[in-house]
Amino acid sequence: MAVLCLRWRITGCEYRLAGFRYAVTVISNAAAKRSPPSTTALQQYSPRNPSDISPTWFAFQQFIGGQESLTVEHLWKQDLEKIQDARPSFCRYSATYSPPACADRKLPTPYTRSPQRPPPANKMALRAPNKNLIRFRCFWKTTVIFEVLKNRGWTETNSELDWDFFWSDVGWMYEFFDHIHLADHQRFNHFRNYYELTRKDLLIKNLKRMKKTLERDGQTVEAGKYNFFPQTYALPAEYGLFVEEFKRMSPDPKLTKLPKGAKSLQEVGVWIMKPVGKARGRGIFLFTRLSQISEWKKDHRWKIENPQVENYIVQRYIDNPYLIGGKKFDLRLYVCVLSYAPLKAYVYRSGFARFTIAHFTVKKEDIVNNLVHLTNFSIQKHAPTFKSKTGTKWSLHSLKMHMISKHGEQEVNALFHKIHMLILRSLLAVQNVIIQDKHCFELYGYDILVDDTLKPWILEVNASPSLAADTPVDHELKYGMLDDVLTLVDMEHKLPPQSLTQVGGFDVLIDQTAPPAAKPPQQSHLLGCYNDRLENLKELRKPARQSTA
Ligand code: ADP
């Protein structure tokens, strides 16, 4: 019998559930040897439904009861790789492999990882804040954020807990956040359950719930405005509903081929499948026939009782994107939330459009061509004609100017106002779900697609938007934006106490702390306008200079 001894500490139930499910499988195997708990009980722990993540996690923690080492059978190398792939810091483990007495099948190769760090005892004497010496910790030392933190004059520390400001990945939070006490002045760049907004299926669930709540409360006009997400189903949980809808929309419910004479995808309706736990376009594919899903189901051992099943969303594909030069693009916008209760959020005036390299086409033979349909930079950079110097991005300002030249100011301003409101509504939809914590703030990257009727659609919200700079222009944008995030978070206590409508390149989206007279006008749509961040920062510094004079 091949025995793999896996030492671990599960550090959280991050949205990349794959790791968690594998862990459950491991337990399940071990449990078969050690008897408790029963398989039925284990199945209940298996997170099939996004809404039972937390109870599942707690039940799971209770079950392992602090054990950090279990002997398991049948854990293959690819399973371990999947755990690793899911989130390097999610499971910290080391594994050793003992060869079987009778090697009668393909065996996993030995696998090692650095031993886990012990959890920090929170014995740190909490330091009093010192606004002249700000100690920062940062996980990403090769991205723009590290440069910004350094140039701010702050001091780097690698201390686990003795920092004033920490720009971390979400994995750290799972490991430590619930076990430590932060001093009042410490700031951390994620909210505890940030994934309610950023996991693809939970985002849609929250938007649908908000819409229903508004309808139930008789606010039908406002409910009607929650129409900015494509029709979406979570799989496998809502597979039945999806099939019903697919058949209803399809010209021929039993469609196995495109109807005779149909050349374009628009004639049959296209859907897009997206794994909820992956990013950068990985695992995404388009389809027009149910039979294509059946093949996928087979490939993914997609059985309800299989705890290894990968959660997907299936979404109506927006097949009429707005094109420039015949190419599809989506928008990346930045939003900084300082607090959820009361809600206080700012949207960055600049952003960019990410273009595909290939011309957009709805020809059925191009359905598998990701260079046509997915705008992710990580996909486009592999195109043979990709030029690293120019990239595939356009600034939001250039895009807006181009659109104004085609459609006039009024129509384009209306589009940008819709985008502004879409972001605001998405935050309102999770306001009561996200756990407020005064130590937390978050920078989100919104992905928005505009269709050829100038309607914006929300595709995704990212909790850790890429902070790598591909070109000098990209660097300038991200540097300024991140510097302004730090100004907003105000570790140095330089901002005036009153509510501000602009901080650097960030314009207020909503500020529930502001007195009614200071609330931003509903029609404000400075998105894509000239970014006067430096002038604004100069203005903001003025009162401080006068008072010290
Ligand atoms: P990821 O997290 O992998 O980047 P996204 O949801 O952002 O996943 O989708 C990746 C890309 O696929 C988007 O940038 C967009 O170009 C395209 N896309 C995603 N969903 C749709 C959709 N419903 N309609 C049209 N294009 C889409």
Side-chain angles (χ1 to χ4, degrees):
M1 179 190 65
V3 173
L4 191 70
C5 180
L6 183 70
R7 291 182 176 279
W8 67 28
R9 193 168 79 252
I10 304 293
T11 57
C13 179
E14 216 248 322
Y15 67 92
R16 290 153 214 271
L17 281 171
F20 183 28
R21 264 185 254 112
Y22 279 92
V24 173
T25 312
V26 171
I27 289 287
S28 169
N29 286 341
K33 271 180 106 183
R34 300 180 311 117
S35 69
S38 71
T39 321
T40 359
L42 275 167
Q43 270 177 12
Q44 283 168 13
Y45 300 157
S46 178
R48 234 163 260 135
N49 192 334
S51 61
D52 58 35
I53 291 167
S54 303
T56 305
W57 172 235
F58 289 122
F60 182 64
Q61 268 184 324
Q62 238 177 2
F63 167 48
I64 59 172
Q67 286 185 78
E68 290 193 353
S69 169
L70 288 170
T71 301
V72 295
E73 297 173 37
H74 312 310
L75 190 76
W76 300 89
K77 182 170 175 278
Q78 59 266 36
D79 291 344
L80 278 174
E81 272 169 356
K82 275 180 195 157
I83 297 178
Q84 239 194 346
D85 185 46
R87 170 94 253 158
S89 60
F90 170 50
C91 264
R92 291 181 198 280
Y93 59 85
S94 64
T96 51
Y97 167 67
S98 331
C102 167
D104 58 351
R105 60 187 172 197
K106 207 170 157 239
L107 297 169
T109 49
Y111 218 87
T112 51
R113 274 191 64 124
S114 56
Q116 69 205 27
R117 278 179 296 170
N122 190 25
K123 288 184 188 142
M124 182 190 80
L126 296 173
R127 281 185 310 112
N130 174 355
K131 60 182 177 169
N132 297 319
L133 173 70
I134 293 169
R135 288 152 51 97
F136 78 86
R137 192 173 165 209
C138 180
F139 259 28
W140 288 281
K141 311 222 172 187
T142 53
T143 62
V144 184
I145 182 62
F146 188 72
E147 208 183 319
V148 173
L149 287 162
K150 277 265 186 202
N151 290 350
R152 195 100 183 164
W154 297 2
T155 309
E156 193 193 358
T157 173
N158 287 321
S159 163
E160 196 67 79
L161 289 173
D162 193 10
W163 39 260
D164 301 309
F165 183 94
F166 188 11
W167 195 284
S168 159
D169 75 343
V170 290
W172 181 89
M173 190 168 56
Y174 287 117
E175 203 164 350
F176 299 123
F177 203 79
D178 290 342
H179 312 291
I180 58 173
H181 176 76
L182 295 177
D184 277 1
H185 73 283
Q186 287 181 289
R187 290 290 177 275
F188 178 69
N189 69 322
H190 294 291
F191 282 90
R192 183 68 189 84
N193 57 343
Y194 67 93
Y195 46 77
E196 291 286 347
L197 182 67
T198 60
R199 208 176 83 174
K200 294 179 177 73
D201 53 343
L202 296 183
L203 166 70
I204 300 291
K205 187 185 98 179
N206 284 316
L207 291 173
K208 283 182 183 171
R209 200 203 26 233
M210 184 72 176
K211 191 174 163 115
K212 261 198 203 132
T213 310
L214 290 167
E215 277 163 1
R216 203 189 45 218
D217 295 349
Q219 297 186 52
T220 41
V221 177
E222 181 57 17
K225 292 183 177 159
Y226 277 77
N227 61 353
F228 50 80
F229 52 97
Q231 199 173 10
T232 305
Y233 299 92
L235 300 185
E238 296 178 337
Y239 185 69
L241 285 176
F242 161 66
V243 172
E244 243 172 63
E245 183 60 18
F246 182 94
K247 289 184 174 166
R248 202 179 62 78
M249 309 273 295
S250 178
D252 170 5
K254 285 194 194 118
L255 198 68
T256 49
K257 283 187 192 156
L258 289 183
K260 251 195 182 159
K263 288 203 183 81
S264 94
L265 300 175
Q266 281 159 332
E267 290 170 64
V268 284
V270 191
W271 294 81
I272 184 166
M273 285 281 275
K274 308 196 263 188
V276 301
K278 289 198 177 122
R280 290 177 275 145
R282 283 181 301 162
I284 297 184
F285 64 94
L286 274 63
F287 68 96
T288 53
R289 292 174 281 141
L290 267 185
S291 60
Q292 288 164 308
I293 290 290
S294 323
E295 285 154 26
W296 169 82
K297 274 166 66 185
K298 242 186 277 156
D299 280 356
H300 283 70
R301 304 181 300 280
W302 195 55
K303 300 243 165 62
I304 211 78
E305 63 277 11
N306 181 1
Q308 298 174 10
V309 65
E310 189 172 14
N311 286 292
Y312 272 69
I313 58 165
V314 59
Q315 192 167 75
R316 191 81 197 177
Y317 184 69
I318 311 296
D319 57 14
N320 60 332
Y322 187 92
L323 304 178
I324 294 184
K327 292 170 183 177
K328 176 180 171 176
F329 64 89
D330 72 351
L331 303 178
R332 165 56 58 90
L333 304 173
Y334 297 99
V335 175
C336 182
V337 176
L338 295 174
S339 147
Y340 270 97
L343 187 57
K344 188 169 181 183
Y346 286 77
V347 61
Y348 201 61
R349 205 174 280 194
S350 309
F352 52 86
R354 299 178 298 190
F355 282 83
T356 57
I357 297 237
H359 282 79
F360 186 74
T361 153
V362 285
K363 280 195 206 136
K364 60 184 180 187
E365 57 273 21
D366 285 324
I367 192 168
V368 289
N369 187 351
N370 284 350
L371 294 175
V372 170
H373 295 288
L374 310 188
T375 51
N376 302 75
F377 179 74
S378 42
I379 291 194
Q380 297 298 328
K381 71 179 178 195
H382 297 300
T385 50
F386 177 75
K387 291 191 190 93
S388 59
K389 275 203 186 122
T390 46
T392 56
K393 295 176 184 171
W394 245 28
S395 76
L396 191 65
H397 184 63
S398 311
L399 179 93
K400 192 172 187 181
M401 291 299 116
H402 172 87
M403 291 180 90
I404 288 176
S405 71
K406 295 230 147 183
H407 305 276
E409 212 171 325
Q410 207 180 350
E411 249 188 281
V412 177
N413 278 344
L415 163 69
F416 277 73
H417 177 64
K418 277 187 213 156
I419 295 175
H420 182 95
M421 295 308 290
L422 169 161
I423 297 172
L424 176 56
R425 291 194 171 99
S426 69
L427 292 179
L428 289 171
V430 294
Q431 184 184 11
N432 295 332
V433 183
I434 293 204
I435 302 163
Q436 167 61 16
D437 188 316
K438 64 180 177 201
H439 302 102
C440 304
F441 69 95
E442 194 133 12
L443 173 73
Y444 296 109
Y446 271 72
D447 291 349
I448 289 164
L449 188 82
V450 178
D451 74 17
D452 62 7
T453 66
L454 296 191
K455 175 179 161 66
W457 297 89
I458 193 166
L459 293 183
E460 197 193 6
V461 184
N462 293 278
S464 301
S466 164
L467 301 179
D470 316 312
T471 60
V473 177
D474 209 26
H475 183 271
E476 192 186 329
L477 166 76
K478 286 176 182 164
Y479 191 99
M481 186 268 297
L482 289 166
D483 200 34
D484 292 348
V485 169
L486 300 191
T487 306
L488 262 177
V489 175
D490 198 22
M491 296 297 294
E492 296 109 338
H493 301 284
K494 283 191 175 161
L495 290 184
Q498 69 269 28
S499 178
L500 295 167
T501 51
Q502 184 183 351
V503 175
F506 278 102
D507 296 299
V508 70
L509 180 69
I510 182 166
D511 184 355
Q512 291 177 337
T513 60
K519 291 232 155 89
Q522 280 285 296
Q523 287 306 314
S524 67
H525 39 71
L526 289 160
L527 260 174
C529 294
Y530 167 69
N531 190 342
D532 59 351
R533 60 176 293 270
L534 293 177
E535 290 95 315
N536 174 266
L537 292 174
K538 224 189 239 171
E539 275 303 303
L540 285 177
R541 271 186 232 121
K542 263 189 194 160
R545 268 212 306 271
Q546 278 160 12
S547 64
T548 50

